[in-house]
Amino acid sequence: MKGLLAGLPWWVKWVAIPLIAVLVFGGLIATVVSVLIGVLFKVLLFVALVGGLIYVVRKFLASSSFRSDW
């Protein structure tokens, strides 16, 4: 690969080839990034909901007389 790109100008290696890659694989890259962001958002939402549930249950149990029954 190094020999193939050795005689080319710098702008072909660093501008034209990445630009062609983005044009060809742009939709795939956008899909992968959006899926990863969606999964990250769902994981953070799950963690926040479980944390909120644990907080509410502990607050409720601390303020009620149910703790003495356990």
Side-chain angles (χ1 to χ4, degrees):
M1 189 68 176
K2 205 173 206 179
L4 181 66
L5 298 175
L8 297 175
W10 68 270
W11 61 269
V12 172
K13 292 186 247 184
W14 299 106
V15 176
I17 293 175
L19 188 63
I20 291 171
V22 167
L23 288 175
V24 171
F25 297 108
L28 177 65
I29 294 170
T31 301
V32 169
V33 168
S34 66
V35 166
L36 289 176
I37 290 173
V39 168
L40 179 64
F41 175 75
K42 288 179 182 178
V43 167
L44 290 175
L45 181 64
F46 175 76
V47 168
L49 289 173
V50 169
L53 176 66
I54 291 171
Y55 175 78
V56 167
V57 168
R58 285 188 178 175
K59 203 69 152 162
F60 176 74
L61 288 178
S63 66
S64 67
S65 64
F66 288 125
R67 185 173 285 264
S68 62
D69 295 341
W70 292 96

